């Protein structure tokens, strides 16, 4: 063949990587692996095969853990915990550095083993997965070193159960294990049954670096092993990455247990192309967004939204590029796509694509793919309808669906027309446009003119059915610590001991305060009111009996009042200072209310009121100061970690400290830009209903604070169930806490509950936690380079 002929045909030439090292590793273990518990390998009779999806070849036999094995692993982690904590951050950092170096040293073995086990191209495991794994351990070694200074108010959670999926096996392991160890936790991890081999090699490395036994335990097996781990009473935190379906099961099963939970779930992320984008870069971006890792990426840009004016041109370029992709042997360094993970996954993808074809969408697929093995062609559906199954469901395969938009507003609406909220990618040469659109997209990560870039220094995680919690960055570390001050929530109430001898003045009976919805006083839908008794059993006043309909009206008003979040922190602070000043001006009236309705002494009333005013000033001060960070990620990016409000937050106030419990929750929530629906103390709601007069005179926009009085648990149930409430805080009983956690599952709202314990409202030891719980972090990646 002449050089000219080579250039003319650009014939593809295979360049396979050797699997020799990986095969030697498997042979050394006689192609059979046990469980790694308490620093030892435990072999099992009950086994299942690890299969190479590209060839169908069985690579090894893996152990199926029993519930006794899960128990043994948790016990080992419990036993190892005190020493691991005592070792201190600096010593733990040494272990993490050692693990990072071992991953680098064995990177070739890891990369080949991962490709064999998962089917992903060696080019990706070699250049993306494994370097990121090492980076994770290095980065978190640094956090371990700095824990005592940077996180001095926090401590380890305890024993952590970690469950991971098959799409980035070792990378997901590192996202879980590195922060957990850095913060002093011990753990039990279960890899996905399809891809456990690199986790087992990692266990060997833990052993070789001399990690104390029981600190890391790796158990293999199917979903039931994950369920046994999640439900084990010896676990204090569960970190789960996987499907939304299983995430919901875990949330339900652990409700009321007090286990801390982070869920990284599925996605259907938009890839938005504006008309001024550089279309050639966009095409390569699409390749990385949906054909990287065979599209088995939770944050894959699987919905292409193209501005109408350039859509046809872009589609032509994409069709041409698609035909040039090479699907083949994962160990071949020249291929673009390998095999999908299993025959089951191949079936799922095929069935979605068949549905798309039956719906009549125009489809383009690469024709030339290997026969045998789990191969699926890169697929492009054009001009699909937004309601189509293939647009709404996560396919988790190399399938892109494309549709057009005309205006920016339409692009935002289409982007948010999904039950997920994991990531988004925006393409435009206009940075002002990009940064205007970014906050309006409900997604935990937004990439501008780039896609699918990750780093240990940046948080990653979702909204809505994509889950909650973040992994990576400082925000990810917070998932592995708890406040050092454990007395902030106590078994015993901090409330004043009131005598019950107070006499009511009786004037309150003359007026029944209404509820407060959309900035207006509102009668309860039921038309009924409830008597409020003081501790002496006398009637202190009446309030409206709120119901489901009132909650719905209040949520609607809160959703409609979106503008509050768009204000600057400075503007919000001005309004909140004004609230504090107006409350001060009505000091006497509120003090009387507290003595009348709650049986407080004058001194107690003065104390609760002055703390309330102080609390409002404090959170007003934070409104423009609790801001984000610019993360120091490895590529040429500015990675902006922005604290965003959750949206509409439901707040169920504590029974004690009726005024302080109200302002102590409502004010930090609105300081961060949320709109709230509040259920005040059921037994003493009158100081909260008086409060709307303060709001009315303080320039708080209608709908930002909505107050519904009535039966607390019934109203909390409605709030927890409501699909348009993004988060809920509940301060009440243990049973009520569990109820809120269970009911939050369907809408996957973030919940913060007190499990029947009592918070120290007077001293507010967790001042900043209220701000943190009122926000979620959005990471925005803006690459640079001329
Ligand atoms: P999956 O939920 O079926 O399995 C994930 C893990 O959970 C596996 O280890 C499995 O054995 C275990 N499991 C199954 N049933 C369980 C149960 N009842 N209790 C406890 N554990 C159980 O998900 P998958 O098919 O392996 O992974 C694909 C999904 O993961 C996709 O939806 C994808 O979007 C998601 N994912 C999300 C992220 C993220 O960071 N958000 C990252 C990767 C993958």
């Amino acid at each position: 063949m002449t050089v000219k002929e080579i250039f003319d045909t650009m014939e593809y030439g295979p360049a396979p990587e050797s699997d020799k090292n990986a095969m030697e590793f498997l042979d050394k273990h006689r192609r059979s692996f046990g469980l790694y518990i308490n620093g030892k390998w435990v072999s099992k009779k009950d086994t299942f095969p690890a299969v190479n999806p590209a060839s169908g070849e069985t690579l090894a036999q893996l152990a199926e853990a029993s519930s006794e094995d899960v128990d043994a692993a948790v016990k080992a982690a419990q036993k190892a915990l005190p020493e691991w904590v005592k070792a201190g951050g600096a010593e733990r950092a040494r272990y993490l550095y050692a693990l990072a170096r071992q991953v680098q040293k064995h990177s070739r073995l890891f990369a080949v083993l991962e490709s064999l086990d998962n089917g992903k191209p060696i080019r990706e495991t070699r250049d993306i997965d494994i370097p990121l794994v090492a980076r994770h351990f290095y980065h978190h070694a640094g956090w371990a070193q700095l824990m005592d200074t940077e996180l001095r108010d926090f401590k380890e959670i305890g024993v952590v159960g970690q469950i991971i999926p098959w799409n980035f096996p070792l990378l997901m392991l590192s996202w879980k294990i590195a922060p957990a160890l850095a913060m002093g936790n011990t753990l039990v991890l279960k890899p996905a049954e399809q891809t456990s081999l690199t986790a087992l090699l990692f266990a060997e490395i833990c052993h070789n670096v001399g990690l104390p036994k029981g600190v890391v335990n790796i158990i293999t097996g199917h979903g039931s092993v994950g369920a046994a781990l999640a439900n084990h009473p010896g676990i204090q935190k569960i970190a789960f990455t996987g499907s939304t379906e299983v995430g919901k099961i875990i949330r339900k099963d652990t409700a009321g247990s007090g286990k801390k939970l982070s869920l990284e779930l599925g996605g259907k992320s938009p890839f938005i192309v504006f008309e001024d984008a550089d279309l050639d870069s966009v095409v390569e971006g699409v390749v990385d967004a949906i054909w990287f890792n065979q599209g088995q990426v939770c944050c894959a840009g699987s919905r292409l939204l193209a501005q109408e004016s350039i859509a046809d041109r872009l589609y032509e370029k994409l069709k041409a590029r698609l035909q040039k992709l090479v699907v083949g042997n994962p160990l071949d360094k020249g291929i673009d796509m390998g095999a999908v993970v299993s025959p089951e996954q191949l079936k799922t993808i095929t069935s979605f694509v068949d549905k798309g074809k039956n719906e009549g969408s125009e489809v383009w697929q690469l024709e030339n793919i290997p026969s045998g093995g789990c191969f699926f062609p890169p697929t492009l559906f054009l001009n699909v309808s937004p309601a189509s199954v293939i647009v709404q469901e996560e396919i988790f395969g190399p399938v892109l669906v494309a549709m057009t938009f005309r205006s920016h507003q339409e692009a935002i609406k289409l982007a948010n027309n999904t039950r997920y909220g994991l990531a988004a990618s925006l393409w435009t040469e206009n940075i002002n446009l990009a940064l205007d659109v970014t906050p309006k997209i409900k997604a935990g990560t937004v990439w501008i003119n780039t896609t699918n870039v990750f780093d240990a220094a940046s948080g990653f995680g979702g909204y809505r059915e994509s889950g909650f919690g973040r992994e990576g960055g400082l925000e990810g570390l917070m998932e592995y610590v708890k406040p050092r001050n454990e007395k902030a929530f106590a078994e015993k109430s901090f409330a004043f001991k009131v005598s019950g001898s107070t006499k009511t003045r009786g004037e309150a009976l003359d007026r029944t305060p209404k509820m407060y919805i959309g900035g207006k006083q509102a009668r309860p839908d039921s038309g009924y009111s409830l008597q409020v008794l003081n501790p002496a059993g006398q009637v202190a006043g009446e309030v409206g009996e709120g119901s489901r309909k009132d909650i719905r009206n209040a949520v609607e008003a809160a959703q409609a009042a979106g503008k509050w979040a768009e204000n600057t922190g400075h503007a919000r602070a001005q309004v909140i200072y004004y609230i504090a000043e107006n409350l001060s001006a009505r000091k006497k009236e509120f003090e009387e209310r507290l003595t009348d309705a709650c049986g407080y002494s004058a001194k107690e009333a003065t104390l609760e009121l002055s703390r309330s005013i102080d609390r409002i000033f404090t959170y007003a001060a934070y409104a423009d100061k609790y801001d984000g960070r610019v993360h120091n990620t490895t590529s040429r990016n500015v990675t902006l970690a922005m604290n965003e409000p959750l949206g509409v937050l439901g707040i169920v106030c504590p029974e004690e400290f009726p005024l302080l419990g109200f302002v102590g929750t409502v004010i930090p929530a609105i300081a961060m830009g949320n709109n709230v629906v509040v259920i005040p103390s059921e037994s003493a709601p009158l100081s909260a209903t008086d409060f709307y007069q303060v709001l009315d005179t303080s320039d708080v926009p209608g709908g930002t604070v909505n107050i519904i009085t009535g039966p607390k648990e019934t109203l909390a149930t409605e709030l927890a169930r409501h699909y348009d409430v993004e988060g809920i805080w509940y301060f009440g009983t243990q049973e009520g806490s569990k109820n809120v956690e269970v009911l939050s599952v369907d809408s996957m709202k973030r919940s913060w509950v007190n499990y029947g314990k009592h918070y120290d409202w007077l001293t507010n030891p967790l001042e900043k936690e209220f701000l943190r719980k009122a926000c979620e972090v959005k990471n925005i990646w803006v690459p640079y380079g001329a």
Side-chain angles (χ1 to χ4, degrees):
M1 202 182 216
T2 66
V3 171
K4 183 174 181 316
E5 278 168 343
I6 291 172
F7 272 104
D8 284 346
T9 58
M10 287 300 269
E11 186 85 20
Y12 161 73
E17 172 76 49
S18 162
D19 65 3
K20 185 167 166 276
N21 282 359
M23 291 303 165
E24 278 171 10
F25 165 76
L26 295 174
D27 289 339
K28 188 181 89 185
H29 286 269
R30 296 175 194 199
R31 305 245 170 188
S32 168
F33 291 84
L35 311 168
Y36 186 66
I37 298 176
N38 204 24
K40 292 199 186 81
W41 290 98
V42 179
S43 56
K44 301 287 299 177
K45 286 213 174 69
D46 191 5
T47 62
F48 62 98
V51 179
N52 176 345
S55 65
E57 173 200 2
T58 294
L59 296 167
Q61 290 297 323
L62 307 176
E64 178 79 26
S66 64
S67 53
E68 289 77 31
D69 298 319
V70 173
D71 193 47
V74 173
K75 290 215 168 97
Q78 280 172 329
K79 200 158 165 238
L81 183 68
E83 282 300 309
W84 186 241
V85 173
K86 216 168 106 201
E91 192 174 330
R92 292 197 298 270
R94 303 294 172 270
Y95 284 108
L96 286 160
Y97 283 127
L99 289 170
R101 272 195 291 272
Q102 286 294 311
V103 168
Q104 284 178 318
K105 187 172 156 199
H106 297 287
S107 61
R108 203 176 134 104
L109 172 57
F110 270 119
V112 174
L113 198 59
E114 197 80 301
S115 286
L116 286 171
D117 201 18
N118 169 282
K120 58 170 71 195
I122 183 75
R123 194 169 49 82
E124 291 176 10
T125 55
R126 186 196 59 194
D127 298 345
I128 299 170
D129 294 54
I130 309 306
L132 269 174
V133 170
R135 160 81 180 139
H136 246 77
F137 282 101
Y138 277 121
H139 181 76
H140 286 93
W143 278 122
Q145 183 78 27
L146 299 177
M147 186 176 179
D148 289 346
T149 45
E150 292 292 313
L151 290 128
R152 72 172 77 89
D153 294 335
F154 295 91
K155 60 184 292 202
E156 77 291 339
I157 297 177
V159 176
V160 181
Q162 306 184 315
I163 303 165
I164 56 172
W166 43 256
N167 58 342
F168 291 92
L170 193 68
L171 186 57
M172 291 297 105
L173 173 148
S174 70
W175 283 23
K176 297 268 179 294
I177 290 188
L181 292 187
M183 296 295 104
N185 303 280
T186 56
L187 61 96
V188 181
L189 178 134
K190 189 197 94 62
E193 54 273 33
Q194 298 86 346
T195 53
S196 302
L197 290 176
T198 47
L200 296 164
L201 171 57
F202 180 81
E204 195 168 282
I205 276 178
C206 290
H207 202 83
N208 293 346
V209 302
L211 197 70
K213 63 181 184 182
V215 169
V216 168
N217 303 276
I218 309 257
I219 54 173
T220 48
H222 289 77
S224 56
V225 180
L229 182 58
N231 290 316
H232 197 290
I235 297 275
Q236 278 84 47
K237 181 207 156 62
I238 297 155
F240 173 79
T241 299
S243 60
T244 298
E245 192 192 344
V246 174
K248 284 185 173 182
I249 295 174
I250 293 179
R251 166 73 291 183
K252 230 175 224 156
D253 286 353
T254 56
S257 67
K259 285 178 188 165
K260 194 165 170 166
L261 183 60
S262 50
L263 297 175
E264 303 284 354
L265 310 176
K268 190 79 185 178
S269 300
F271 186 104
I272 310 173
V273 185
F274 292 100
E275 60 189 359
D276 63 349
D278 169 1
L279 293 192
D280 291 320
S281 303
V282 167
V283 170
E284 291 316 305
V286 169
V287 173
D288 286 341
I290 189 67
W291 294 316
F292 163 59
N293 203 29
Q294 297 67 249
Q296 303 164 131
V297 183
C298 50
C299 50
S302 50
R303 286 186 297 142
L304 172 64
L305 310 178
Q307 196 149 14
E308 203 172 83
S309 47
I310 47 92
D312 285 341
R313 238 175 349 121
L314 176 59
Y315 292 168
E316 286 314 309
K317 282 176 185 279
L318 273 177
K319 285 187 251 173
R321 182 69 177 90
L322 182 145
Q323 293 304 338
K324 295 272 182 230
L325 292 172
V326 180
V327 180
N329 174 8
L331 285 189
D332 186 337
K333 286 173 265 187
I335 58 133
D336 298 297
M337 269 178 47
V340 301
V341 75
S342 65
E344 292 76 28
Q345 188 62 14
L346 186 63
K347 216 165 123 196
T348 307
I349 300 168
T350 309
S351 124
F352 271 118
V353 169
D354 289 346
K355 275 189 197 136
K357 287 178 180 167
N358 291 340
E359 280 177 343
S361 306
E362 183 186 347
V363 62
W364 295 84
Q365 286 186 304
L366 177 69
E367 276 157 23
N368 194 10
I369 63 164
S371 54
C374 299
F375 295 98
F376 195 86
T379 302
L380 167 65
F381 279 101
L382 295 179
N383 299 321
V384 291
S385 134
S388 155
V389 175
I390 52 170
V391 175
Q392 289 300 326
E393 298 296 324
E394 182 187 42
I395 299 173
F396 223 56
V399 184
L400 179 66
V401 297
M403 61 198 109
T404 60
F405 65 88
R406 288 188 180 167
S407 65
H408 303 158
Q409 286 73 16
E410 195 191 355
I412 293 163
K413 276 201 182 126
L414 280 172
N416 288 333
N417 180 23
T418 167
R419 49 181 216 276
Y420 296 109
L422 194 53
S425 178
L426 308 183
W427 294 75
T428 168
E429 291 300 296
N430 181 346
I431 188 73
N432 300 331
L433 169 65
L435 292 177
D436 184 56
V437 171
T438 297
K440 295 174 184 146
I441 296 192
K442 204 81 188 158
T445 299
V446 177
W447 292 294
I448 295 173
N449 292 330
T450 183
T451 193
N452 274 342
V453 278
F454 311 97
D455 186 65
S458 167
F460 182 86
Y463 287 102
R464 301 176 176 169
E465 297 213 353
S466 294
F468 43 75
R470 295 288 180 263
E471 290 190 308
L474 182 60
E475 55 269 35
L477 281 185
M478 299 311 290
E479 297 296 329
Y480 286 97
V481 291
K482 63 180 179 189
R484 197 165 274 290
N485 182 345
E486 294 196 70
K487 292 197 185 119
F489 280 97
E491 298 295 340
K492 238 174 100 199
S493 172
F494 294 85
F496 304 125
K497 295 200 177 23
V498 292
S499 64
S501 61
T502 335
K503 294 266 177 297
T504 169
R505 273 163 246 256
E507 308 141 13
L509 282 176
D510 301 342
R511 59 191 167 94
T512 301
K514 301 195 181 55
M515 299 188 295
Y516 190 63
I517 299 178
K520 296 196 183 73
Q521 299 185 27
R523 287 179 200 287
D525 182 65
S526 66
Y528 294 116
S529 52
L530 296 168
Q531 284 192 337
V532 179
L533 302 181
N534 71 10
Q538 299 159 320
V539 178
E542 292 195 3
V543 291
E545 182 178 359
S547 64
R548 179 166 177 226
K549 179 77 169 75
D550 301 306
I551 291 283
R552 283 200 343 227
N553 292 343
V555 173
E556 222 169 87
Q559 282 289 353
K563 288 272 180 291
W564 177 248
E566 288 169 30
N567 283 331
T568 60
H570 172 67
R572 288 199 296 268
Q574 301 305 295
V575 173
I576 297 171
Y577 283 131
Y578 201 13
I579 297 176
E581 283 161 7
N582 282 327
L583 182 61
S584 304
R586 304 171 79 141
K587 199 164 173 272
K588 194 160 169 292
E589 182 193 326
F590 273 85
E591 281 176 357
E592 279 180 10
R593 178 62 96 189
L594 289 170
T595 47
D596 277 9
C598 307
Y600 280 12
S601 68
K603 207 170 139 209
E604 287 160 349
T606 304
L607 180 61
E608 178 155 350
L609 192 78
S610 66
R611 291 286 162 94
S612 299
I613 294 168
D614 189 46
R615 191 103 357 125
I616 301 173
F617 275 120
T618 300
Y619 286 121
Y622 270 125
D624 63 350
K625 293 171 194 67
Y626 188 74
D627 52 13
R629 292 168 77 105
V630 180
H631 285 314
N632 202 346
T633 49
T634 45
S635 43
R636 287 164 63 83
N637 271 287
V638 180
T639 309
L640 307 167
M642 280 179 46
N643 290 332
E644 282 193 329
L646 298 182
V648 172
L649 186 60
I651 298 177
V652 187
C653 295
E655 287 305 294
E656 65 255 37
F657 298 110
L659 180 63
L660 192 49
F662 178 87
V663 300
T665 48
V666 170
I667 303 299
I670 66 169
M672 293 295 98
N674 295 282
N675 296 323
V676 297
V677 176
V678 199
I679 302 167
S681 162
E682 182 177 348
S683 52
L686 295 169
S687 47
T689 49
D690 290 345
F691 203 83
Y692 65 59
Q693 291 165 15
V694 175
L695 298 172
D696 262 346
T697 51
S698 309
D699 293 343
V700 178
T704 293
V705 178
N706 303 275
I707 305 170
I708 305 292
T709 49
K712 176 170 172 169
E713 302 304 333
T714 313
L715 296 175
T717 294
E718 296 307 330
L719 264 184
R721 266 198 196 131
H722 202 298
Y723 270 82
D724 286 333
V725 175
E726 275 94 2
I728 183 164
W729 295 353
Y730 172 91
F731 295 91
T733 62
Q734 159 68 24
E735 204 186 340
S737 299
K738 179 173 177 181
N739 187 42
V740 162
E741 288 192 335
V742 169
L743 294 174
S744 298
V745 173
D746 285 338
S747 55
M748 290 303 282
K749 56 173 69 70
R750 286 149 171 73
S751 56
W752 186 28
V753 302
N754 66 335
Y755 302 110
K757 295 200 171 157
H758 300 272
Y759 181 62
D760 182 0
W761 295 99
L762 274 180
T763 63
N764 201 25
L766 304 184
E767 185 171 275
K768 273 174 108 173
E769 274 300 280
F770 283 82
L771 300 170
R772 206 170 66 76
K773 300 275 188 198
C775 298
E776 191 51 280
V777 181
K778 172 178 269 173
N779 275 277
I780 305 163
W781 294 68
V782 190
Y784 54 82

